[in-house]
Amino acid sequence: MTLLTALAILIIAAAAFLLGRAKASALAGDNYAQLHSRPNYHGLYSLMWVLIAGLGALIVVSGLAGAVIDSTMTSRASALTGEALSQIQLDLMLNDARAIATGGIPSSVDPAREALAEYYTAAGFWRGVAVLIAGVGAALAALLRTRSQISMEWRARNRSERVIRAVLAVSATIAILTTVGIVLSLIGETLIFFNRIDWRLFDYFFGTTWSPLAGVFEGKLDPEKVGAIPLFAGTAMITVIAMLVAVPIGLMAAIYLSDFASPKVRAWTKPLLEVLAGIPTVVYGFFAAITVAPFIRDNGGVIVPILGLLAAVIVGFLALLLLERARPGFRQSLTRQAGGYGLVAYFAVFALGGLAVIWSANPGFTFDVASESALAAGVVMGIMIIPFISSLSDDVINAVPQSLRDGSYGLGATKAETIRQVILPAALPGIVSAVLLGVSRAVGETMIVVMAAGQGANLTWNPMETVTTVTVQIVALITGDTEADTAAAPAFALGFTLFFITLALNIYALRIVRKYRELYD
Amino acid sequence: MTVAEDLGGDAPAETGAVARIPSASARTAPELKMTARSCDVFYGDNHAIKNVDVDILDNTVTAFIGPSGCGKSTFLRCLNRMNDTIDICRVTGELTLDGEDIYDAKVDPVQLRARVGMVFQKPNPFPKSIYDNVAYGPRIHGLVRNKADLDDVVEQSLRRASLWGEVSDRLDQPGTGLSGGQQQRLCIARAIATAPEVLLMDEPCSALDPIATARVEELIHELRENYSIVIVTHSMQQAARVSQKTAFFHLGHLVEYDDTTKIFTNPHDKRTQDYITGRIG
Ligand SMILES: Nc1ncnc2c1ncn2[C@@H]1O[C@H](COP(=O)(O)OP(=O)(O)OP(=O)(O)O)[C@@H](O)[C@H]1O
Ligand SMILES: [Mg+2]
């Protein structure tokens, strides 16, 4: 019945459009240009009001009737059984009555339920009639009213614009209110959680043991084991590894695609790269768990020294940057040392140092690598994020005007110089937002971590060990077999903290981008 | 002239500097700097330049004039191989700089562009500070040894582009924040900071007010002492004021190429006559 009403309203709306348009055309006759609004606008205005009035009436009447039916059924149910029912019993009874009325499967059948079902059927019919009358009536009224308003001077164009604006504003409000609602409920649940752990905020933010459900047999949380640090450390480590993989590869791919690849190669490569973005993360997850993690476990003896070497060289590079900043010209003087090989020697020292540290800790170079590791999850997650970064950065780099490239080439710069010194700086704000998007993907990613990094809340610096992340723990809490009421509280707290941290990160990065933009726009 | 003198020695691009003739004698007998012989340019199927022969003399300002779309910019871009960056563009014929074929496989277009600088029709400052914009060329070509020299080059270039007075106190501000005319002068400063031997200017004054235009014309006059300059312009007066040689293009053809005074007083071709008197254009 409701569906029928909605259909009728749509038909009336279409009629309103045609009628309004026809009337306006007829009115104008030969003086077409004298008509304030084009006939289509008259039709549109009429149509919009018919829809608003008709569907509005439908929703309101249907909702009111539903409420009336529910309350009548509740009171009848109590009257029929002659005893005070608990909420659950009542709900069950009403559901059974509805099931009987609609041909579903009730849990039990008795005269009281059948009586209720009979009422429900009858009331349902009258409700449909009421909805039909109200909806169609309102739609027709709107049609007649807007049609009578049509005249040469009637500003249907401006008025329909206003209606559209109102509709848009309502949509925006709904979106904002939903967000606000979600945040508020997060805050509320988080406060409940803190209340349950006796406001041990310090333990939550700085504690290192996470096992909040340890005391669940006494029906409450274990306030001693609510330290969220291992989770956030795990999230941070996996995110960093993922970004170390995704940012360089993604950015270089973007540069290749935008400035080096021929149009033909580009036409092939870009869609291929974007296919990567379409692979569901579950697939990446088991790829990580089945292929990458065992590979890392079996080749620990090679991978660990290589990682140590890389880490040492990165440390050396950072140190060089700091030294250069403290004493400008340091790098140049270093380059001139050792017969021009000063810089090579500098990094060799760091690399050997890194190896030495590993060797001193483990002279045999035999490593006990867990079969689930942060490294496996991070690397696979990085591969997953590559297309986001490369595709977005490619767009941004392409948007840098050709005239800037020409200016640089015209001064005798090479392609690489142009890219490094002109194009990348010009595209930096966009690249930063691409990277940020990648970071939020990494932080929010769950599947890959569940499968490849494990679930144990383990606080460690070693990427070869198993770690867990905030999102994984939320999943574990919600899908675990602990009663939802107890398990949800820590999950909400984690969710809110994660939300807050990503928000802060985003705001901070946007600030940097804006500063940079002000400087260069 | 400090820029050219300071930098002349250590820039690999400056090999031509040795051959330069002092300006006094240059007036009497300018040398051939660049030549084009039966040059054709195609954009895909569009035949944009048709069989053009031109000699660009050293220490001379050569003006390219002609109606819009006749191929002035296209031909200008052949002279420093900027057309290489356009995929569909194909250049044939022989173009030389100091007698060497610039489209030869041995020639590195990047080195060539350091010797043949360019100022574009639309100002295109980099999104960097004013200082970094001007320092861009000297830095990538290693024209200076230290910061003091670089400061000097930047100041001299900005002075010669008559922009120094307006920006000397805000060299660290972005170049994109300048007005259109200031941006164009910044681009001129950027081009001369690289100390090219030939300077190609594509309508450098189209965004400038009369005062700045006069300054740029003065600059062109001054640069002529050391450089060879090619300027595209839509202003007959400007061509008459600044140039010694004028080339008139029409529909991809080089219709007439002669002394500027000859072109503007006694043109050989009917089409040139019509153009400079405003009948076609
Ligand atoms: N990048 C390009 N791709 C394809 N065709 C081009 C390109 N640039 C120029 N052309 C074509 O080459 C011809 C000459 O253009 P060019 O820009 O050299 O004219 P112009 O004389 O500089 O004109 P104006 O005075 O308006 O700047 C035109 O027909 C133009 O359509
Ligand atoms: Mg042009």
Side-chain angles (χ1 to χ4, degrees):
Chain A
M1 205 65 132
T2 315
L3 207 68
L4 200 72
T5 314
L7 202 69
I9 293 171
L10 285 184
I11 292 171
I12 297 173
F17 178 79
L18 295 175
L19 285 173
R21 195 171 65 168
K23 179 171 177 191
S25 300
L27 251 179
D30 291 337
N31 290 339
Y32 195 69
Q34 234 79 63
L35 200 60
H36 173 272
S37 306
R38 302 294 100 218
N40 271 343
Y41 278 111
H42 289 283
L44 179 70
Y45 182 66
S46 195
L47 175 143
M48 287 194 298
W49 270 117
V50 168
L51 282 184
I52 291 175
L55 295 180
L58 184 150
I59 292 170
V60 169
V61 171
S62 166
L64 279 180
V68 169
I69 293 175
D70 278 355
S71 71
T72 319
M73 274 174 79
T74 311
S75 55
R76 284 203 187 181
S78 311
L80 279 168
T81 49
E83 53 189 293
L85 293 167
S86 77
Q87 186 64 41
I88 290 184
Q89 282 172 310
L90 192 66
D91 282 346
L92 188 68
M93 193 163 168
L94 295 190
N95 275 333
D96 284 343
R98 285 191 198 111
I100 295 171
T102 55
I105 301 166
S107 62
S108 67
V109 181
D110 58 25
R113 281 166 210 233
E114 275 173 347
L116 273 179
E118 205 170 300
Y119 165 76
Y120 185 72
T121 316
F125 172 75
W126 287 113
R127 174 190 180 178
V129 171
V131 166
L132 182 70
I133 291 174
V136 170
L140 284 177
L143 185 151
L144 292 177
R145 168 101 182 104
T146 48
R147 198 171 135 74
S148 74
Q149 283 168 328
I150 295 175
S151 71
M152 293 294 277
E153 301 80 37
W154 181 243
R155 303 192 164 204
R157 189 178 172 202
N158 311 35
R159 278 165 187 273
S160 22
E161 199 120 325
R162 248 178 277 159
V163 175
I164 288 174
R165 198 175 63 195
V167 170
L168 295 180
V170 168
S171 310
T173 317
I174 291 175
I176 293 170
L177 284 184
T178 334
T179 316
V180 170
I182 290 174
V183 172
L184 284 183
S185 88
L186 268 180
I187 294 178
E189 296 282 346
T190 306
L191 291 181
I192 293 177
F193 169 70
F194 283 140
N195 193 25
R196 288 215 186 137
I197 60 166
D198 312 325
W199 296 98
R200 300 191 192 209
L201 289 184
F202 187 84
D203 285 348
Y204 174 73
F205 284 114
F206 300 103
T208 54
T209 335
W210 174 262
S211 185
L213 299 183
V216 82
F217 298 114
E218 290 95 68
K220 60 186 188 59
L221 298 169
D222 185 343
E224 302 292 327
K225 297 180 178 158
V226 292
I229 283 282
L231 311 189
F232 285 98
T235 304
M237 187 196 282
I238 291 184
T239 305
V240 166
I241 295 174
M243 294 328 275
L244 281 179
V245 172
V247 172
I249 298 182
L251 203 55
M252 286 193 270
I255 292 173
Y256 173 75
L257 282 181
S258 63
D259 277 62
F260 289 95
S262 68
K264 219 168 163 185
V265 173
R266 192 183 144 80
W268 273 97
T269 326
K270 211 175 175 204
L272 267 180
L273 205 59
E274 271 158 12
V275 166
L276 272 181
I279 300 176
T281 58
V282 195
V283 177
Y284 280 108
F286 67 69
F287 171 63
I290 308 287
T291 316
V292 180
F295 175 83
I296 290 177
R297 182 195 56 209
D298 296 342
N299 296 285
V302 182
I303 293 172
V304 175
I306 290 180
L307 282 183
L309 221 105
L310 271 181
V313 171
I314 290 175
V315 168
F317 182 72
L318 293 178
L320 190 65
L321 283 187
L322 282 181
L323 285 170
E324 175 73 25
R325 177 164 271 195
R327 279 182 37 209
F330 176 80
R331 193 172 56 91
Q332 283 227 324
S333 65
L334 191 66
T335 314
R336 267 181 243 124
Q337 301 291 313
Y341 290 101
L343 216 55
V344 180
Y346 171 87
F347 279 111
V349 168
F350 271 93
L352 288 178
L355 282 185
V357 168
I358 292 178
W359 180 75
S360 66
N362 193 334
F365 277 103
T366 48
F367 297 94
D368 204 14
V369 179
S371 60
E372 290 177 325
S373 63
L375 186 66
V379 167
V380 173
M381 201 188 279
I383 293 173
M384 176 195 88
I385 294 169
I386 287 173
F388 288 89
I389 296 198
S390 68
S391 182
L392 286 173
S393 308
D394 176 54
D395 291 345
V396 194
I397 291 174
N398 262 321
V400 174
Q402 179 65 28
S403 67
L404 283 187
R405 293 181 168 88
D406 283 347
S408 176
Y409 295 145
L411 290 170
T414 62
K415 218 158 196 177
E417 286 163 346
T418 303
I419 288 167
R420 206 177 70 74
Q421 302 192 30
V422 175
I423 297 179
L424 286 186
L428 196 71
I431 292 174
V432 171
S433 24
V435 171
L436 268 186
L437 198 78
V439 170
S440 356
R441 294 271 318 185
V443 167
E445 177 51 43
T446 319
M447 266 314 172
I448 297 176
V449 190
V450 174
M451 296 193 215
Q455 307 216 13
N458 183 9
L459 185 60
T460 172
W461 280 105
N462 185 353
M464 313 298 279
E465 277 182 37
T466 159
V467 298
T468 194
T469 64
V470 177
T471 49
V472 169
Q473 284 311 305
I474 292 178
V475 171
L477 284 167
I478 299 291
T479 58
D481 37 17
T482 309
E483 184 199 342
D485 230 19
T486 319
F492 272 111
L494 285 179
F496 179 64
T497 319
L498 194 63
F499 166 75
F500 192 79
I501 289 176
T502 32
L503 188 72
L505 262 178
N506 272 318
I507 291 176
Y508 177 69
L510 281 181
R511 275 271 267 290
I512 293 180
V513 169
R514 188 162 322 134
K515 205 162 155 193
Y516 190 86
R517 234 184 227 157
E518 273 164 16
L519 188 61
Y520 286 141
D521 261 0
Chain B
M1 292 314 90
T2 38
V3 184
E5 277 161 18
D6 284 357
L7 308 178
D10 40 66
E14 285 291 306
T15 44
V18 198
R20 265 181 210 158
I21 305 155
S23 53
S25 61
R27 297 259 159 79
T28 53
E31 281 211 345
L32 261 187
K33 188 69 186 170
M34 300 189 78
T35 63
R37 290 291 172 267
S38 50
C39 175
D40 286 84
V41 182
F42 304 83
Y43 290 109
D45 293 335
N46 179 5
H47 197 171
I49 289 289
K50 295 160 188 156
N51 195 24
V52 167
D53 291 356
V54 174
D55 291 331
I56 310 285
L57 302 181
D58 207 359
N59 306 102
T60 302
V61 179
T62 308
F64 287 177
I65 58 171
S68 188
C70 67
K72 305 177 298 291
S73 301
T74 301
F75 185 68
L76 199 68
R77 291 162 60 92
C78 291
L79 296 175
N80 66 346
R81 293 186 61 173
M82 277 304 284
N83 284 329
D84 289 15
T85 61
I86 301 173
D87 286 328
I88 55 166
C89 185
R90 198 158 54 80
V91 181
T92 62
E94 194 185 77
L95 289 111
T96 67
L97 171 63
D98 287 337
E100 292 165 47
D101 185 357
I102 58 172
Y103 279 83
D104 192 272
K106 289 199 301 277
V107 172
D108 176 6
V110 170
Q111 293 288 351
L112 173 73
R113 291 184 202 128
R115 293 173 65 190
V116 184
M118 184 152 197
V119 176
F120 295 83
Q121 199 161 349
K122 269 190 294 183
N124 55 352
F126 300 136
K128 296 172 176 294
S129 70
I130 294 172
Y131 184 95
D132 288 339
N133 261 283
V134 183
Y136 187 81
R139 274 190 183 136
I140 56 175
H141 296 299
L143 300 187
V144 285
R145 287 252 172 276
N146 53 43
K147 179 91 168 72
D149 285 355
L150 188 59
D151 288 349
D152 204 43
V153 170
V154 170
E155 177 173 345
Q156 290 305 325
S157 306
L158 285 170
R159 275 191 196 285
R160 297 171 73 194
S162 61
L163 188 60
W164 177 253
E166 287 153 73
V167 301
S168 58
D169 55 342
R170 47 173 176 149
L171 290 176
D172 54 344
Q173 303 274 309
T176 37
L178 297 173
S179 78
Q182 290 173 326
Q183 289 186 8
Q184 188 61 300
R185 278 178 282 154
L186 180 62
C187 293
I188 294 176
R190 190 174 71 181
I192 55 184
T194 315
E197 300 161 39
V198 182
L199 189 58
L200 310 175
M201 303 175 110
D202 196 346
E203 293 181 44
C205 299
S206 56
L208 300 189
D209 67 18
I211 298 169
T213 303
R215 287 199 198 138
V216 171
E217 288 179 6
E218 244 167 68
L219 167 73
I220 292 174
H221 202 70
E222 187 189 311
L223 291 175
R224 193 190 136 210
E225 307 259 316
N226 299 68
Y227 304 120
S228 164
I229 292 168
V230 185
I231 177 171
V232 172
T233 177
H234 278 293
S235 154
M236 303 303 139
Q237 291 86 340
Q238 186 171 56
R241 275 196 304 266
V242 301
S243 72
Q244 289 78 51
K245 290 278 188 184
T246 297
F248 171 64
F249 288 81
H250 188 238
L251 299 174
H253 294 285
L254 176 64
V255 174
E256 195 165 352
Y257 173 59
D258 214 328
D259 287 343
T260 301
T261 40
K262 174 101 184 347
I263 296 265
F264 281 99
T265 52
N266 186 16
H268 179 71
D269 195 289
K270 174 87 171 47
R271 286 169 289 176
T272 319
Q273 170 92 43
D274 287 349
Y275 182 70
I276 59 177
T277 52
R279 246 166 289 173
I280 53 172

